[in-house]
Amino acid sequence: VMASMAHLQKEKLQLQEELLELQEKLAARENDKLSLSLQLQGQVETLKEKLLEQAQEISRLRSELGGTDAEKHRDLLAAENERLRQEMKACEGELRELRRQQQAPCRDCPHLQENAGLREQLSQLQREAEETRAKLVELDLEVQQKTNRLAEVELRLKDSLAERAQEEERLSRRLRDSQETIASLKSQPQQIKYIIKTVEVESTKAKQALCETQSRNQYLQEQVGMQKQVLKEMEQQLQSSQKTEAQLRAQIMMYEAELERAHGQMLEEMQAMEEEKNRAIEEAFSRAQVEMKAVHENLAGVRTNLLTLQPALRTLTHDYNSLKRQVRDFPLLLQDTLRSARAEISQAIEEVHSTNRELLRKYRRELQLRKKCHNELVRLKGNIRVFGRVRPITKEDGEGPEAANAVTFDADDDAVLHLLHKGKQVSFELDKVFPPQASQEEVFQEVQALVTSCIDGYNVCIFAYGQTGAGKTYTMEGTAANPGINQRALQLLFSEVRGKAADWDYAITVSAAEIYNEALRDLLGKEPQEKLEIKLCPDGSGQLYVPGLTEFRVQSVEDINKVFEFGHVKRVTECTNLNEHSSRSHALLIVTVRGLDRSTGLRTTGKLNLVDLAGSERVGRSGAEGSRLREAQHINKSLSALGDVIYALRSRQGHVPFRNSKLTYLLQDSLSGDSKTLMMVQVSPAEKNTSETLCSLKFAERVRSVELGPVSRKAELGSWPSQEHLEGDSPGSAALPGRGHASPSPGQLSSRSASIRRKLHTSG
Ligand code: ADP
Ligand code: MG
């Protein structure tokens, strides 16, 4: 049994070894597969590299060529490249599929299940074998025990047999001894009888011992029989165990056969799998080869493309070389060109320079001429111009017939105005008439030419004349929202000066003064109460100046506003009733524009005097007294003096009575020579003001008619009628010289141009 067991075990070990071997083989196969796939992948990788190389080659070529011929092929190559890439991608997909198949070769294979069943059977068989072995070991143990007992029994049997033999031998010896003794005793009858008796007695004892021995022998034999029976049983048991062993062996044989079959199946499956794998590998390989071929073909195509590109490259290289040569020669060429261009340019500049010089000369000449013509024009138009402005009817005029409108205009002539006075219509002709609806802007448009001539070095006076409440201050100062001439003039000066800043340096200064009761006071000074004097310049130029009159340099509208504000505040703090006070005093804004032409050194000085006159209404007549009378007399005197001066100037008299009032004395420079004067006569349209309106308009018309009148001795000697004289005059009366057109004499012209020369003196 043991031997068979050992044999069985050996076989099992063998089987296990075989199984291991098979598993190893399987692993090796799988390794092979893996390496093959890796190899394939490597091939794919190299293909990819080649593709990349081609792409690089293409891009290199493209960059080398860069030109038009290369561009023709570029698209082609790009398309091919794209196609190759797609093929590559498909190839990779297939490869992936293949790998997946390899990784899961028999997931759905029926053999796998069979294999698993076989394996299970095998393990069951092994389990049974194990059980059988355990049973065998048990039996072995029993047999061992029984054998041991048997040996013991046999040993005992042997002992008892040896004992019996000894006993038999001892008994036979004694029997022999006894027979010998008997024989000897027969020879000795007496004694014999006794001895026989003794022997007989002794022989019974022996016989008893023999009996005992025989019974013992009997027992021992029985025991031997029993042992034999046990042995027989044991043999039977052995036989049965041998039978089971045979059975087991048969089973093992069966299992082995089954194992063999499973093994065979497994081998077959492996064979099939291997074949399948080989087939797949072959297929992949052939496909890869085909693709390789296609790639090769593509490569060939690319090569041919390259070949066709080569001539283009050659031409490009040629072009490049020629360009390079050109570039090399370029600096020299550039230098030459630059030199010639420079020469040409400098020549042109020279020409331009000379032309410029010529032009400048001509321009200066033209300028002089223009100035001359302008002066002539102005002179012809009149250096003193008279405008009329009618203010609108206001709330202050009240209601009823008193506030009715008494002024009408001519639709076709903007210089004519009709006044209904005491039922009669009186007409006046001025240089221009502004109706009530005329805006500040419109008024200023008519004035701005005068203002700008100040920049050219002319002196300008603008007077606002009229009764109190007729709109003098409105026209000159205006309101904050709607400024008058003062602010607009300064703004215009600023913009004009800015426009000429390229050639000219200008300085604009502003002074503000007031003449009240023939006393001149500085409105911007620290001591407003201080009376200022008008003095002759010590330099002997004959010019006048006011020592201590404050001048402010202004550069912007903000500056002007500040100055006005300052002057206004001064005036307000000085008097208890500003309205009243302002109507009794002349307010002057003196703007001085000093210019320097940087290129020629020419210096000009122009003065713009903006005068808001005291009210022209007649007060003195109605029995005014004291200070009121004094004020009225002063106003009357100064306005008369202004009239006188203007009259004298217009009629070009030798003597102009500037010194008759502070106002005319102060404005002497700005009224004489080719200075320009504008008289803005303000009137109220209200019925209740018609007599004052009539006076103002008469004053205006006279001023104007004087200018056009011939120079008469009478006029030369006579004086401007006083305010009192004016009131009795009928419109168009002959108190002043009649109308007529007189052209200036040549002498007058030459004196005018001399004065221009005086004004435009050059520095140094
Ligand atoms: P004056 O200075 O001659 O005494 P003002 O200028 O003070 O007169 O004018 C008197 C009033 O009439 C003011 O309220 C002023 O606003 C108004 N006024 C004068 N002229 C006009 C005008 N053209 N448009 C509107 N209102 C005016
Ligand atoms: Mg006023």
Side-chain angles (χ1 to χ4, degrees), residues 472-473 582-583 612:
K472 296 186 294 297
T473 308
S582 68
S583 70
D612 185 355

Side-chain angles (χ1 to χ4, degrees), residues 19 23 46 78 176 215 233 262 267 301 313 358 371 403 416 496 591:
L19 204 70
Q23 275 170 349
T46 50
R176 230 174 311 126
S215 67
E233 269 173 29
L267 277 176
L313 191 67
E358 179 65 15
K371 210 146 205 172
V416 174
E496 289 285 311
V591 182

